[in-house]
């Protein structure tokens, strides 16, 4: 998952096809073309292939173990490569792993590494993966994505202090061989190894300098590009990594990245030829421009298995009452939001799981059920012993789309519930810190799957840490997820997921609003654009300019 920035785009890793599973089949690497574009009239050397994009806001980090938002993950995926990587065909391909052996029971994976190098010329070894994974699992490191490693034998036990690092099911056989033991069969595991959290980390660098990933002159990666410049809150520059094992399939020499939060300004820059790309996967296009762009035929769109929702802090009154949470959710007019504000084919979300993995497509409640909302509000206020709602504040990161949605919901809550609602936009990093500290009442959120399985959405709420910023936890819900982790029958898994999602919607720590559609514009000089998978994740490796 990934935390999504914009109101019109999603972000993270699609399960295009389940590879190998328990069959012992070895996925093979295929040639993958890259994508870049030479901007016209720019100050780049003659013949240099340059691609210019805007990512909207400052990345929180360029460290794979800490990246948990869509901006940071896009940056990390540009600078690193995993054992596997998703290709433009939406399938998982071998990357740093040249060969993969999988046991018949699906519990053991043996990765045989190819000859590859770090950006400083050092060899990438199995030790780098073992170090990175155990580092992210270490409770002291406090990675929000530590739970991604719970699939490893004793991964959760180590993270919760019940086992030692050496007990975790990742073992270096030699420099080129990594052996992994899982707790239970995970048919999506090779998708996880393609995700940012599973990327390797240069051990010596990370051990010597805790802030290595925050500056260009100390950053070391093993991916398609190197971090040449990082002017914080202003610009980033990627350059092609000549040490990258697949450098022949990276077609862009340089990527210039700006961080302009205002969608209208970024759109104007694209129209003026100062950017080669506008819109998804990170930045929304201005809602007011959508009708004209649709008419012109320039707008490109695709559905995304990602969910836009509002998160309630259940420890902040009045949202410590479940009936009041449900009242505020039921009072939202989702159909109006997707048709009048978003306008690019989003669908109202009446459950948390997106359509590609939904177990109850019709949802769990009625959209804009104002009578039920009023009734629940009255009952909830009586239970809290209050006669008037306290002031409500909704926070969101700076975005024209987020603002328009918040203004619409502000009006709907006022009309239906009589709520006094204030909306507040925050700079992205401040917003994320505020949410992570659970110092809010209502916050806009977005989640794009790291792989196309319901567990990746449902596991967010397993415990009060990591990416669960609602303070909600439910023992029965957790028990169902434990059962899911051991269940191999697809129909039984679906049933268990349905029961878990029912609890989530009954307790309503989050109010789903819509399922994303990715929309973007690309310049005429772009031969092959940013690869955006079905979960809304973007990859700059495959960009190519004319």
């Amino acid at each position: 998952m990934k935390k999504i920035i914009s109101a019109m785009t999603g972000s993270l890793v699609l399960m295009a096809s389940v590879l190998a599973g328990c069959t012992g089949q070895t996925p093979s690497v295929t040639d993958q073309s890259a994508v870049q574009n030479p901007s016209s009239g720019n100050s780049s050397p003659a013949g240099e292939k340059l691609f210019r994009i805007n990512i909207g806001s400052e990345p929180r980090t360029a460290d794979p173990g800490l990246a948990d938002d869509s901006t940071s993950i896009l940056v990390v995926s540009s600078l690193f490569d995993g054992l596997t990587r998703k290709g433009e065909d939406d399938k998982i391909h071998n990357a740093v792993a040249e060969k993969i052996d999988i046991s018949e029971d699906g519990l053991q994976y043996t990765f045989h590494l190819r000859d590859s190098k770090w950006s400083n010329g050092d060899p990438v070894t199995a030790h780098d993966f073992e170090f990175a994974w155990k580092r992210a699992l270490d409770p002291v490191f406090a990675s929000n994505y530590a739970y991604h490693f719970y699939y490893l034998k004793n991964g959760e036990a180590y993270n919760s202090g019940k086992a030692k690092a050496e007990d975790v099911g990742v073992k270096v056989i030699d420099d080129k061989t990594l052996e992994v033991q899982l707790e239970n069969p995970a048919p999506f595991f090779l998708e996880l190894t393609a995700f940012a959290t599973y990327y390797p980390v240069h051990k010596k660098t990370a051990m010597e300098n805790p802030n290595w990933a925050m500056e260009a002159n100390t950053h070391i990666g093993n991916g398609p590009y190197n971090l040449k410049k990082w002017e914080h809150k202003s610009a980033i520059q990627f350059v092609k990594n000549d040490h990258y094992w697949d450098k022949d399939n990276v077609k862009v020499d340089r990527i210039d990245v700006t961080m302009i939060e205002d969608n209208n300004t970024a759109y104007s820059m694209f129209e003026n030829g100062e950017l080669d790309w506008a819109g998804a996967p990170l930045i929304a296009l201005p809602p007011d421009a959508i009708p004209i762009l649709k008419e012109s035929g320039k707008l490109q769109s695709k559905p995304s298995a990602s969910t836009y929702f509002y998160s309630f802090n259940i420890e902040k009154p009045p949202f410590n009452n479940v009936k009041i949470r449900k009242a505020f959710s039921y009072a939202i007019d989702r159909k109006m939001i997707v048709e009048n504000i978003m306008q690019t084919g989003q669908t109202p979300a009446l459950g948390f799981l997106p359509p590609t993995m939904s177990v109850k497509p019709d949802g769990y409640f009625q959209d804009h059920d104002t009578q039920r909302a009023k009734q629940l509000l009255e009952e909830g206020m009586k239970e809290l012993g209050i006669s008037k709602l306290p002031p409500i504040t909704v926070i969101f990161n700076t975005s024209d789309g987020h603002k328009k949605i918040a203004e619409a919901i502000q009006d709907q809550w006022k009309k239906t519930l009589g709520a006094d609602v204030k909306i507040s936009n925050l700079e992205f990093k401040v917003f994320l810190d505020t949410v992570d500290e659970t110092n809010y009442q209502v916050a806009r959120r977005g989640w794009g799957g790291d792989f196309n399985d319901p567990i990746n959405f449902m596991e967010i709420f397993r415990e009060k840490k990591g990416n669960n910023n609602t303070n909600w936890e439910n023992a029965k819900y957790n028990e169902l997820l434990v059962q899911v982790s051991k269940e191999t029958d697809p129909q039984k898994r679906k049933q268990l997921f349905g029961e878990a999602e029912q609890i989530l919607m009954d307790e309503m720590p989050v109010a789903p609003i819509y399922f994303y559609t990715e929309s973007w514009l690309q310049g005429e000089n772009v031969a092959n654009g940013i690869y955006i998978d079905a979960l809304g994740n973007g990859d700059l490796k495959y960009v190519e300019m004319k």
Side-chain angles (χ1 to χ4, degrees), residues 156-228:
E156 184 173 8
Y158 173 48
N159 185 247
S160 59
K162 298 175 182 177
K164 298 178 181 179
E166 54 265 34
D167 298 326
V168 177
V170 52
K171 179 182 178 182
V172 174
I173 305 302
D174 55 45
D175 283 355
K176 293 291 185 67
T177 312
L178 187 72
E179 185 179 278
V180 178
Q181 297 285 342
L182 303 186
E183 281 281 357
N184 301 287
F188 46 77
F189 187 65
L190 292 182
E191 291 186 67
L192 271 177
T193 57
F195 186 64
T197 319
Y198 273 76
Y199 291 164
V201 169
H202 191 264
K203 182 176 180 178
K204 185 175 184 292
T205 298
M207 294 292 287
E208 292 178 353
N209 178 10
N211 297 314
W212 65 277
M214 295 305 295
E215 301 295 338
N217 61 358
T218 55
H219 194 278
I220 292 180
N222 73 320
Y225 305 101
N226 292 334
L227 186 59
K228 179 70 173 179

Side-chain angles (χ1 to χ4, degrees), residues 269-405:
M269 289 178 67
F270 174 82
E271 290 288 284
N272 293 333
E274 299 170 64
L275 293 173
D276 301 308
W277 191 272
L282 294 180
I283 299 303
L285 295 166
D288 292 343
I290 297 299
I292 297 173
L293 291 172
K294 287 170 71 175
E295 268 189 43
S296 71
K298 295 179 181 178
L299 187 70
Q300 301 191 45
S301 299
K302 65 182 293 186
S304 169
S306 307
T307 307
Y308 189 99
F309 60 98
Y310 271 14
S311 173
F312 299 116
N313 182 351
I314 72 165
E315 293 183 355
K316 294 277 188 181
F319 301 111
N320 54 337
N321 181 274
V322 61
K323 290 181 178 177
I324 291 181
R325 295 196 297 271
K326 294 173 82 168
F328 274 73
S329 178
Y330 293 176
I332 297 173
D333 189 342
R334 294 160 177 81
K335 186 171 184 288
M336 185 280 286
I337 289 170
V338 300
E339 291 184 354
N340 297 341
I341 298 177
M342 306 315 298
Q343 306 178 71
T344 54
Q346 293 83 358
T347 55
L350 304 179
F352 191 63
L353 293 173
T356 62
M357 58 190 81
S358 176
V359 296
K360 192 175 181 181
D362 293 336
Y364 297 85
F365 55 91
Q366 180 180 326
D367 183 31
H368 201 215
D369 190 349
T370 57
Q371 292 306 311
R372 181 67 174 141
K374 291 175 181 178
Q375 177 187 343
L376 286 167
L377 177 66
E378 182 181 351
E379 293 173 2
M381 290 174 65
K382 284 181 181 179
E383 290 177 0
L384 290 179
I386 59 176
S387 58
K388 183 180 179 182
L389 284 171
I392 306 297
T393 299
V394 176
I395 64 169
F396 54 91
N397 56 290
T398 303
S399 159
D400 191 39
H402 294 325
K403 182 181 179 183
K404 287 181 180 293
I405 291 170

Side-chain angles (χ1 to χ4, degrees), residues 47-251:
E48 181 183 51
K49 299 291 188 178
L50 171 66
F51 183 56
R52 300 162 301 169
I53 60 170
N54 175 45
I55 62 172
S57 55
E58 169 86 348
R60 275 174 107 180
T61 184
D63 184 335
L66 294 173
D68 66 349
D69 62 272
S70 54
T71 303
S72 297
I73 288 170
L74 182 76
V75 168
V76 165
S77 69
S78 303
L79 301 172
F80 291 86
D81 210 6
L83 294 165
T84 57
R85 193 178 188 104
K86 185 173 292 185
E88 293 181 283
D89 57 2
D90 283 342
K91 296 180 180 179
I92 298 297
H93 297 265
N94 291 9
V96 177
E98 189 170 34
K99 179 174 178 288
I100 305 170
D101 299 324
I102 306 171
S103 64
E104 289 295 330
D105 61 5
L107 292 176
Q108 180 174 302
Y109 288 69
T110 304
F111 297 92
H112 304 274
L113 277 56
R114 69 177 70 249
D115 289 331
S116 65
K117 294 181 179 180
W118 290 102
S119 52
N120 68 349
D122 288 348
V124 176
T125 71
H127 297 279
D128 296 317
F129 286 93
E130 179 193 34
F131 170 74
W133 297 6
K134 290 182 177 179
R135 172 177 175 258
L137 261 177
D138 188 339
V140 176
F141 188 65
S143 170
N144 281 343
Y145 263 138
Y147 63 83
H148 264 185
F149 295 98
Y150 288 2
Y151 302 103
L152 304 183
K153 188 74 174 177
N154 290 318
E156 184 173 8
Y158 173 48
N159 185 247
S160 59
K162 298 175 182 177
K164 298 178 181 179
E166 54 265 34
D167 298 326
V168 177
V170 52
K171 179 182 178 182
V172 174
I173 305 302
D174 55 45
D175 283 355
K176 293 291 185 67
T177 312
L178 187 72
E179 185 179 278
V180 178
Q181 297 285 342
L182 303 186
E183 281 281 357
N184 301 287
F188 46 77
F189 187 65
L190 292 182
E191 291 186 67
L192 271 177
T193 57
F195 186 64
T197 319
Y198 273 76
Y199 291 164
V201 169
H202 191 264
K203 182 176 180 178
K204 185 175 184 292
T205 298
M207 294 292 287
E208 292 178 353
N209 178 10
N211 297 314
W212 65 277
M214 295 305 295
E215 301 295 338
N217 61 358
T218 55
H219 194 278
I220 292 180
N222 73 320
Y225 305 101
N226 292 334
L227 186 59
K228 179 70 173 179
K229 294 180 182 178
W230 189 349
E231 299 172 7
H232 290 284
K233 297 187 177 181
S234 176
I236 284 175
Q237 186 177 95
F238 298 131
V239 295
K240 182 175 178 177
N241 179 9
D242 287 334
H243 286 301
Y244 182 48
W245 71 270
D246 197 30
K247 66 179 181 180
D248 291 344
N249 284 316
V250 177
K251 308 299 184 183

